[in-house]
Amino acid sequence: MTDALLDFMLGPMRVIGDVYYEYQVIFNTLVVGFALYKMIFRGKKTQQSSAN
């Protein structure tokens, strides 16, 4: 049933979904790593600005 719903919702983009599901751990690690990177370096810039 889930497969049928995904086919309906994604349509031709289903191939991209298959690639994502195959490499889900790698993609999720990259997304979380990027988010942490942005949070850490955004915080340092804010602290430097308030120090001036």
Side-chain angles (χ1 to χ4, degrees):
M1 178 165 177
T2 304
D3 219 19
L5 288 172
L6 285 174
D7 281 337
F8 175 72
M9 290 186 288
L10 296 176
M13 301 300 280
R14 183 63 193 252
V15 176
I16 294 172
D18 290 339
V19 171
Y20 171 75
Y21 291 131
E22 188 172 339
Y23 300 106
Q24 189 172 13
V25 173
I26 295 170
F27 285 125
N28 287 347
T29 303
L30 290 173
V31 169
V32 170
F34 181 73
L36 287 174
Y37 173 81
K38 293 298 270 186
M39 287 172 50
I40 291 169
F41 285 103
R42 179 182 55 123
K44 286 185 179 180
K45 287 180 183 176
T46 305
Q47 290 172 356
Q48 288 175 356
S49 297
S50 63
N52 290 331

